[in-house]
Amino acid sequence: METYNQEKIFEILSKKSEDKFGQIQRILSKMDSHEIAHCLESTPSEQRKVIWSIIDKSNEAEVLSELGEEIQQDLFDEISNEELLDLVQNLELDEMVDILQNLPEQRISFLLSKMSKIDRERVEMVLEYPEDSAGGLLNNDIISVQEDSTLNLVIEYLRSIGDIPENTDKFFVVSKNNNFIGELEISKIISSDPNLRVSDIMDKKPHSFKVNESDKQVSKFFEQNDLISAAVVNDKNELIGRITIDDVVDVIIEDADQNFLSMAGIAEDTFSPPARAARRRIVWLGLNLITAFVAALA
């Protein structure tokens, strides 16, 4: 269905029609943000900008967060600072920071100046860390509890806050000084006596990531241990956030894409100028041609 929708959009763009934009808008309304992002990444720059202008405003933030860095940068000129501020404020912290890191310093400063003090401090904290580090991946939508609390108290607290953050499979146990000391799995809260204390059933030797660890180390550990979330701590072992599986998957996919493009001699947007792209690909294409001849002679 995704391929069909893309082909239909490309077909409409290639024709002269008075209702061209309306037809594309109707197709886009049936696609999710991932499908639209894939469509944009498969489209030459000028047509990409046309499609972007038709996307429903309520869906723009999620689509932008799904796009690769080069495609985002190609679209930034089409988005005013005011529009960009509205977009990023509808995103999770890590997604917001991913986009801000691709902007010029001047635009970052403007956006930060327009945010609330709390949001600005949250963003600035993550911007301090390299993009390819655990700190660059973290989100601070964490739920922390103290070890002397009863499970009953924890349950009451959860009811009071309503919805819990996505990809929450555990809560983080901290001391009164916010030192990270353990993890409490949600499944254990449900299956244990509510009169027990957190310290009775928590994992007292959990793994946490130092804020400066590389994202490669993080993704490898997640993969080897089937993690959904994990704590991130600073040098003082203070809990500052968490990393979730969705961010780790992004790292794995990005690494795989870079490795593939590196092998193929491609390092830019698929729809970059032909001469520049051809210079990068000619060696790879030549090797493929030689391989084809050898296979034909075998």
Side-chain angles (χ1 to χ4, degrees), residues 132-196:
D132 59 354
S133 69
L137 292 175
L138 72 80
N139 205 321
N140 55 13
D141 59 347
I142 51 178
I143 296 179
S144 59
V145 296
Q146 295 194 347
E147 62 179 333
D148 58 353
S149 299
T150 64
L151 299 187
N152 248 331
L153 185 60
V154 172
I155 292 171
E156 287 178 14
Y157 171 65
L158 294 177
R159 286 172 178 161
S160 71
I161 63 175
D163 294 337
I164 62 175
E166 289 185 13
N167 295 312
T168 298
D169 62 321
K170 66 190 68 164
F171 304 138
F172 302 111
V173 187
V174 295
S175 68
K176 291 181 180 179
N177 295 323
N178 197 42
N179 283 313
F180 178 58
I181 58 176
E183 292 176 344
L184 177 62
E185 294 182 6
I186 292 179
S187 59
K188 288 189 176 180
I189 297 176
I190 297 170
S191 60
S192 300
D193 182 343
N195 294 312
L196 290 175

Side-chain angles (χ1 to χ4, degrees), residues 9-255:
I9 289 173
F10 298 157
E11 180 185 338
I12 295 170
L13 284 170
S14 66
K15 295 179 178 179
K16 292 182 179 180
S17 170
E18 293 183 2
D19 190 35
K20 179 186 294 186
F21 293 162
Q23 293 177 52
I24 295 175
Q25 193 171 44
R26 285 191 287 274
I27 295 173
L28 291 174
S29 67
K30 301 173 184 177
M31 300 167 66
D32 62 29
S33 58
H34 175 76
E35 290 174 328
I36 296 174
H38 188 269
C39 178
L40 289 170
E41 291 180 330
S42 306
T43 308
S45 179
E46 290 308 311
Q47 291 182 326
R48 178 186 302 147
K49 291 171 183 176
V50 172
I51 296 172
W52 173 260
S53 69
I54 304 172
I55 295 171
D56 190 278
K57 295 294 181 184
S58 64
N59 206 20
E60 283 182 343
E62 284 300 323
V63 172
L64 190 63
S65 70
E66 294 269 4
L67 294 171
E69 180 178 334
E70 288 194 16
I71 310 300
Q72 284 182 0
Q73 290 178 343
D74 185 50
L75 292 173
F76 282 149
D77 289 341
E78 308 298 309
I79 308 171
S80 70
N81 282 337
E82 289 73 18
E83 290 173 327
L84 193 54
L85 180 63
D86 288 338
L87 290 182
V88 298
Q89 288 186 323
N90 290 323
L91 297 172
E92 296 289 337
L93 176 63
D94 53 339
E95 294 175 335
M96 185 191 304
V97 171
D98 284 344
I99 290 173
L100 291 179
Q101 287 171 330
N102 294 327
L103 292 170
E105 289 293 331
Q106 186 175 3
R107 296 195 79 175
I108 295 175
S109 298
F110 172 84
L111 293 174
L112 290 175
S113 70
K114 297 297 182 179
M115 293 181 185
S116 67
K117 182 180 178 182
I118 294 176
D119 284 344
R120 183 168 63 251
E121 289 175 349
R122 291 169 65 225
V123 172
E124 286 176 339
M125 179 190 74
V126 181
L127 283 174
E128 289 179 9
Y129 306 116
E131 187 177 358
D132 59 354
S133 69
L137 292 175
L138 72 80
N139 205 321
N140 55 13
D141 59 347
I142 51 178
I143 296 179
S144 59
V145 296
Q146 295 194 347
E147 62 179 333
D148 58 353
S149 299
T150 64
L151 299 187
N152 248 331
L153 185 60
V154 172
I155 292 171
E156 287 178 14
Y157 171 65
L158 294 177
R159 286 172 178 161
S160 71
I161 63 175
D163 294 337
I164 62 175
E166 289 185 13
N167 295 312
T168 298
D169 62 321
K170 66 190 68 164
F171 304 138
F172 302 111
V173 187
V174 295
S175 68
K176 291 181 180 179
N177 295 323
N178 197 42
N179 283 313
F180 178 58
I181 58 176
E183 292 176 344
L184 177 62
E185 294 182 6
I186 292 179
S187 59
K188 288 189 176 180
I189 297 176
I190 297 170
S191 60
S192 300
D193 182 343
N195 294 312
L196 290 175
R197 295 190 179 279
V198 169
S199 58
D200 295 326
I201 62 170
M202 74 182 197
D203 179 357
K204 297 179 181 178
K205 294 183 179 180
H207 182 85
S208 61
F209 294 104
K210 294 292 185 183
V211 72
N212 291 318
E213 281 190 66
S214 75
D215 59 357
K216 307 290 189 302
Q217 291 173 312
V218 172
S219 63
K220 185 176 181 180
F221 193 88
F222 260 75
E223 184 179 1
Q224 291 175 339
N225 295 275
D226 296 325
L227 296 182
I228 295 176
S229 66
V232 180
V233 299
N234 61 18
D235 293 336
K236 298 178 181 178
N237 198 45
E238 294 170 332
L239 179 67
I240 59 172
R242 67 173 185 147
I243 295 174
T244 55
I245 184 61
D246 55 330
D247 300 311
V248 173
V249 168
D250 289 342
V251 173
I252 294 171
I253 292 174
E254 184 179 338
D255 286 346

